[in-house]
Amino acid sequence: MQSWSPSASISTLITLATLANEKPSGSHETVPLELIAEAQLKGYHSVCLPLTTENWHTRWTEMCLIPSDSIQKRTRESRRESKLAIRDLSVEGKAEAWRENPCFERDEVTITRLDEAKNVTAIISEWLELDAEEDGIRYDAEIALQQELAYASYLNIHTAILPAPRNRDHVSSYARTVRACLSSAPYMNLAIRLPVYDTSLLEPALIVSPSSSSSFQSSSAPSTPRLVVSGSADSLNRPSPGSASLEAHIDAAWETWDLIRSICDYNIRLALALDLTPPLPNSPGVLSKWAAESVRYIFLPSSTFIANAKGYPVLPKPTQTFIRDSMAHRPNIIISGASSGLHKRGGEDAYSQYVKYLERTSPVVEAAEKVGTVENFAQGYQDYLQAPLQPLMDNLQSITYQTFEQDPVKYQSYEEAIHKALAEWPKQDKIVICVAGAGRGPLVARSLSAIKRSKRGNVRLYAIEKNPNAFVTLQSRQRMEWKDRVRLLFGDMRLIEIPEKVDILVSELLGSFGDNELSPECLDGAMRFLKPQGISIPSSYTAHLAPLSSSKLYNEARAIKEEKSLETPYVVMFQAVNLLSGEGPGPSGLCGPQVQECWEFEHPRKYPVLNAQGLPPTNSHNTRSAKLRFHIPHAGVLHGLAGYFEAILYGNIGLSIHPQRKDQVSKDMLSWFPLFFPFKEPLYLPSNSELQISIWRLTNERQVWYEWHAESFLGSESSSPAGTKSPTTSGHPLPSSNLMASPTIGVPSPLIDAVDLAPRSSISFQDTPERSTARLVKIGHTSLHNPGGRSSWIGL
């Protein structure tokens, strides 16, 4: 397995002023070549360069905009009638000629040669208003954008960064233009420059959009993009909120991005260039949504840095944390203004050196470089969709067994569970152990080790395996290692007979969702072997769910362009994801924790109904369903569900991939990645909303499958009549019973010695004379996914 390669690249932004002031030396023919060579010597991986000069801005303005002092004298009604009288007809002719055949003059572009364009990311003209109030400006800006992209393509530049949207009322027009550009430039990657929030909303002085006061007003964009995120068409009526509402503005910036990428149909060539010029809040929850987005570029101007005690540039702590976490996605960090001398110590190199330091100390990088961690083991598999195994239908290959056998944590836990069971068994009794589903023998070897440690001499060990190829490996190991200490049996555990009843039944049939590899059905058949007081290892396991946002996983799932690809659960090593749910009761007062339990299976099963062969007559007892309610604290898009499991092997020894408990129960276990249940259509969830998830485990004579569905709700306030009794949870009112059924309430885990759980609040009724009661209003839902197992199932 390869070690982590520091591939978060660092770029420098070359400005028009730098291009104008620089003179080429004798060793380089042009200024761009000189600056690019200097950047490479300074250790930058690439440069970001404006594609056009101010001359292009001037010509476009003269052709396409009416001077503001003239237009302000006329009303909107007379504007069209007076247009020709105001403008020079020759200018109109030039504009029409340009619209018919857009073309640059030599002094309007910064580079002209292929060698100048090498390792260059093009910065599209910042003054282009693709979301202007006036149709004419938007139309001409779109032509200009297409012209710049065509020129970038001519120079073999494959990535361009577009100016930030400024006018929330016309972001859909901005997005439509971007989609058109993606279609017309099929080999070009586009990135939207977007400030993490609009700083103008936090300033007393209002910043008016250039197109808001005049439809044809000449202007240029500010160096730091400003985004109008209010819902009002008139920006002059916007209030100036305080810093307390900063999280809402970050949500609004994300919603703008979500609208753009949705209109562009989640195009994989569209990415985000997140501008971190504004200071970030100490609120990791509101910033976590960016982890699920395609943040390919991060703008870090020198003004974002602060001076430490020695005068060297460093980043504020929230920005440090955000950059460290972002290293998982290997972004391109664009540093601008590094040569401005803003900080006293360190010089230009100090900025890039500091970013490299943040990468080295990123928890993601440190975990990836540490041998034995999941991050190190799974490199190359992050966000890679894998079909779950079908061990009953398919005979696994030796390489698959070998991969899972590399997990020392899992098998060490199994050995400890077997050893503990042996230690607690009466010493005078003979003990019979059976490993059901032995594979290539790792559990057999661990069972023998546990027997040796327990110093029990009266133990007999059986091993059952149905895979004829793996059975050859077992025979070889018996001949070379185990001798007569193990008796091998070939066949399906549901059908085979063994010579005697067993005291301890050991199996490793668990999947990422606990039951998704048919452990319940397999062990139903194997329970015939177990004595009345016998034990099963594992003794129980639970499935857990959380709502998930990930544009990357959504794109991966729909890339196959078949409906079944979005109705199939996948095994995934999550990376570019964000769990949308939060802790807390939500508007209804009934929401559970961030990750919630769906159902549980126990072995041996209590009070089973069995036929003469000791088998269940049907599989109906293994059906399950759950209805879970989650609080969504921050706006997001639901792309799927994250599935996890937790198992009790014996006593307080267990296995877990639960994101909040795995490190305490079975840290660095490698055998299981989570399960991803995709949705066919993304479901937008506003801030402080609620999400209800319904999921079913269903079966017939030949198959087991899952079906899933989601509904979204917002809270609304209503008044309760005096003297009525309203159910509450810790003071939070419950919704009306006719709105939503009660959710599944999780119970404390049996692994109580491993992890302490907070007690759940109980529901009570309170007499109140009059108070506000939260009711839920439904705002959306998904379709039912995988009905009847039409797209995905596990074969019995």
Side-chain angles (χ1 to χ4, degrees):
M1 185 64 65
Q2 294 181 347
S3 61
W4 174 275
S5 174
S7 53
S9 54
I10 302 178
S11 301
T12 182
L13 179 63
I14 298 175
T15 65
L16 288 177
T18 303
L19 286 168
N21 295 331
E22 187 76 14
K23 301 296 181 183
S25 64
S27 58
H28 294 94
E29 301 176 35
T30 67
V31 170
L33 285 175
E34 174 84 14
L35 294 174
I36 292 170
E38 288 181 6
Q40 291 175 339
L41 289 175
K42 293 174 182 177
Y44 294 108
H45 298 92
S46 61
V47 299
C48 295
L49 189 70
L51 196 62
T52 63
T53 68
E54 189 60 30
N55 292 331
W56 166 234
H57 182 198
T58 301
R59 181 163 73 98
W60 187 89
T61 300
E62 291 174 349
M63 289 190 302
C64 302
L65 300 184
I66 293 177
S68 59
D69 57 349
S70 299
I71 202 64
Q72 287 173 356
K73 298 177 182 178
R74 294 163 177 83
T75 64
R76 182 177 293 272
E77 289 76 14
S78 63
R79 187 175 295 133
R80 290 185 180 179
E81 298 174 1
S82 61
K83 182 176 180 181
L84 293 178
I86 300 171
R87 296 179 61 109
D88 186 341
L89 290 178
S90 64
V91 175
E92 286 288 349
K94 290 179 181 179
E96 284 298 304
W98 167 77
R99 293 181 185 114
E100 182 179 10
N101 188 22
C103 181
F104 287 117
E105 302 291 340
R106 170 60 188 91
D107 62 354
E108 294 174 346
V109 292
T110 56
I111 54 179
T112 60
R113 297 163 30 169
L114 282 174
D115 54 350
E116 294 175 332
K118 188 177 180 180
N119 293 326
V120 165
T121 297
I123 302 294
I124 299 301
S125 299
E126 291 187 347
W127 44 265
L128 288 177
E129 286 193 79
L130 304 173
D131 50 0
E133 289 286 345
E134 175 60 44
D135 291 347
I137 294 180
R138 295 201 304 270
Y139 177 75
D140 287 342
E142 180 175 351
I143 296 175
L145 174 59
Q146 295 274 15
Q147 177 181 341
E148 295 193 25
L149 293 177
Y151 187 71
S153 296
Y154 165 74
L155 291 173
N156 203 35
I157 295 174
H158 298 294
T159 303
I161 298 178
L162 306 187
R166 297 175 177 83
N167 186 347
R168 181 61 182 86
D169 291 330
H170 290 282
V171 168
S172 57
S173 293
Y174 181 105
R176 187 210 60 77
T177 299
V178 173
R179 177 164 182 157
C181 291
L182 288 167
S183 298
S184 62
Y187 303 107
M188 180 70 69
N189 296 298
L190 302 182
I192 307 296
R193 183 174 181 180
L194 188 72
V196 70
Y197 59 88
D198 181 14
T199 54
S200 68
L201 290 175
L202 303 179
E203 298 172 357
L206 295 175
I207 307 298
V208 181
S209 173
S211 61
S212 62
S213 62
S214 172
S215 59
F216 287 100
Q217 181 177 346
S218 177
S219 63
S220 61
S223 57
T224 298
R226 298 293 175 90
L227 175 65
V228 179
V229 293
S230 71
S232 171
D234 183 4
S235 60
L236 291 176
N237 293 328
R238 291 183 289 121
S240 295
S243 59
S245 60
L246 180 58
E247 290 189 5
H249 303 318
I250 294 177
D251 272 347
W254 172 85
E255 286 170 349
T256 298
W257 159 248
D258 178 53
L259 178 61
I260 294 170
R261 60 92 180 270
S262 297
I263 289 178
C264 293
D265 195 29
Y266 285 76
N267 194 300
I268 60 174
R269 291 186 290 115
L270 180 66
L272 183 61
L274 195 61
D275 192 328
L276 296 189
T277 301
L280 299 182
N282 279 308
S283 304
V286 71
L287 294 172
S288 63
K289 60 168 71 331
W290 300 111
E293 304 301 341
S294 182
V295 182
R296 200 166 298 161
Y297 299 90
I298 294 178
F299 272 91
L300 271 183
S302 58
S303 58
T304 304
F305 291 77
I306 58 177
N308 64 10
K310 296 181 179 180
Y312 289 94
V314 298
L315 289 170
K317 287 190 179 298
T319 309
Q320 289 181 37
T321 302
F322 185 86
I323 295 294
R324 283 192 172 104
D325 292 343
S326 298
M327 290 301 176
H329 311 300
R330 297 168 170 84
N332 187 320
I333 310 293
I334 301 173
I335 299 176
S336 64
S339 59
S340 62
L342 186 63
H343 296 89
K344 297 178 181 178
R345 304 286 298 277
E348 181 176 353
D349 292 342
Y351 300 94
S352 58
Q353 290 172 357
Y354 182 74
V355 171
K356 292 175 183 177
Y357 160 75
L358 292 180
E359 180 177 32
R360 291 195 306 272
T361 56
S362 165
V364 177
V365 177
E366 290 178 338
E369 291 178 336
K370 184 178 179 182
V371 177
T373 63
V374 178
E375 291 80 3
N376 179 270
F377 172 77
Q379 287 188 60
Y381 287 94
Q382 291 91 343
D383 295 328
Y384 176 72
L385 303 183
Q386 304 175 72
L389 296 175
Q390 294 240 26
L392 274 184
M393 292 180 57
D394 306 326
N395 289 321
L396 303 182
Q397 296 182 335
S398 185
I399 188 66
T400 303
Y401 288 117
Q402 179 176 304
T403 299
F404 291 122
E405 288 167 11
Q406 295 178 39
D407 189 340
V409 176
K410 168 186 173 181
Y411 291 109
Q412 181 61 38
S413 297
Y414 264 99
E415 181 178 329
E416 291 303 320
I418 298 168
H419 179 262
K420 185 172 183 178
L422 290 171
E424 294 179 357
W425 208 271
K427 292 188 178 297
Q428 68 276 10
D429 289 1
K430 170 189 171 183
I431 303 175
V432 181
I433 300 176
C434 177
V435 176
R440 300 198 317 174
L443 281 185
V444 176
R446 290 290 185 164
S447 297
L448 290 172
S449 178
I451 292 170
K452 182 178 180 180
R453 289 172 53 199
S454 67
K455 300 180 180 179
R456 301 291 296 253
N458 55 346
V459 180
R460 184 171 296 169
L461 180 60
Y462 293 91
I464 302 173
E465 178 53 47
K466 77 169 184 65
N467 185 341
N469 307 307
F471 194 71
V472 174
T473 302
L474 289 175
Q475 293 175 78
S476 178
R477 294 193 69 177
Q478 183 187 41
R479 182 178 303 173
M480 302 297 294
E481 303 174 43
W482 306 331
K483 309 299 182 184
D484 59 356
R485 292 181 294 167
V486 180
R487 181 172 178 182
L488 302 181
L489 300 171
F490 175 66
D492 190 323
M493 70 180 73
R494 299 171 297 173
L495 304 173
I496 195 174
E497 298 294 338
I498 66 172
E500 58 185 319
K501 295 285 187 178
V502 304
D503 300 291
I504 301 175
L505 182 68
V506 183
S507 64
E508 53 171 332
L509 306 169
L510 300 171
S512 298
F513 205 45
D515 56 81
N516 62 294
E517 292 185 13
L518 302 191
S519 177
E521 286 73 15
C522 292
L523 291 180
D524 274 348
M527 287 300 136
R528 297 172 294 125
F529 314 149
L530 206 56
K531 294 177 182 178
Q533 301 304 317
I535 63 173
S536 171
I537 297 176
S539 61
S540 68
Y541 37 90
T542 50
H544 304 258
L545 275 183
L548 174 147
S549 177
S550 175
S551 57
K552 184 174 183 181
L553 292 184
Y554 173 68
N555 264 338
E556 291 287 336
R558 70 178 188 149
I560 303 174
K561 300 187 183 303
E562 295 181 9
E563 184 179 43
K564 68 178 183 180
S565 68
L566 286 163
E567 291 192 329
T568 299
Y570 298 96
V571 174
V572 185
M573 170 63 172
F574 291 149
Q575 180 172 278
V577 303
N578 176 38
L579 295 187
L580 295 168
S581 50
E583 303 289 342
S588 71
L590 272 180
C591 294
Q594 183 182 40
V595 181
Q596 297 184 30
E597 180 181 322
C598 295
W599 49 65
E600 180 182 25
F601 288 91
E602 291 183 293
H603 303 289
R605 190 160 52 93
K606 295 179 180 178
Y607 313 115
V609 176
L610 306 174
N611 60 20
Q613 290 76 38
L615 298 171
T618 71
N619 198 35
S620 60
H621 60 282
N622 284 326
T623 59
R624 295 287 190 277
S625 69
K627 185 175 288 186
L628 311 174
R629 190 176 297 155
F630 298 90
H631 177 220
I632 309 299
H634 305 292
V637 174
L638 178 71
H639 293 117
L641 306 173
Y644 310 95
F645 87 94
E646 188 167 279
I648 310 301
L649 296 179
Y650 183 78
N652 67 342
I653 300 172
L655 307 171
S656 179
I657 62 169
H658 189 295
Q660 297 167 341
R661 299 165 53 81
K662 60 182 180 179
D663 286 349
Q664 298 136 300
V665 176
S666 50
K667 181 175 173 57
D668 291 327
M669 185 172 62
L670 311 176
S671 291
W672 293 277
F673 297 154
L675 207 62
F676 171 56
F677 295 88
F679 283 107
K680 290 183 286 187
E681 294 292 339
L683 180 64
Y684 171 76
L685 301 171
S687 298
N688 200 32
S689 60
E690 290 193 9
L691 179 69
Q692 182 173 282
I693 298 296
S694 298
I695 186 168
W696 299 263
R697 185 187 199 264
L698 301 170
T699 182
N700 57 25
E701 297 81 6
R702 295 169 284 106
Q703 300 163 335
V704 173
W705 69 92
Y706 300 102
E707 299 179 15
W708 58 99
H709 174 259
E711 297 177 84
S712 54
F713 299 84
L714 271 178
S716 65
E717 297 296 323
S718 63
S719 183
S720 296
T724 59
K725 295 183 178 181
S726 300
T728 63
T729 304
S730 301
H732 296 279
L734 305 184
S736 173
S737 60
N738 65 341
L739 289 173
M740 299 174 68
S742 298
T744 298
I745 303 297
V747 295
S749 167
L751 296 180
I752 200 68
D753 291 343
V755 182
D756 292 330
L757 294 179
R760 294 294 299 260
S761 301
S762 60
I763 297 177
S764 62
F765 286 85
Q766 297 180 351
D767 268 321
T768 55
E770 184 173 350
R771 63 183 180 81
S772 178
T773 302
R775 296 176 62 87
L776 296 181
V777 177
K778 182 174 176 177
I779 57 174
H781 63 257
T782 69
S783 61
L784 176 64
H785 285 63
N786 197 35
R790 66 184 179 188
S791 299
S792 60
W793 44 268
I794 312 106
L796 288 167

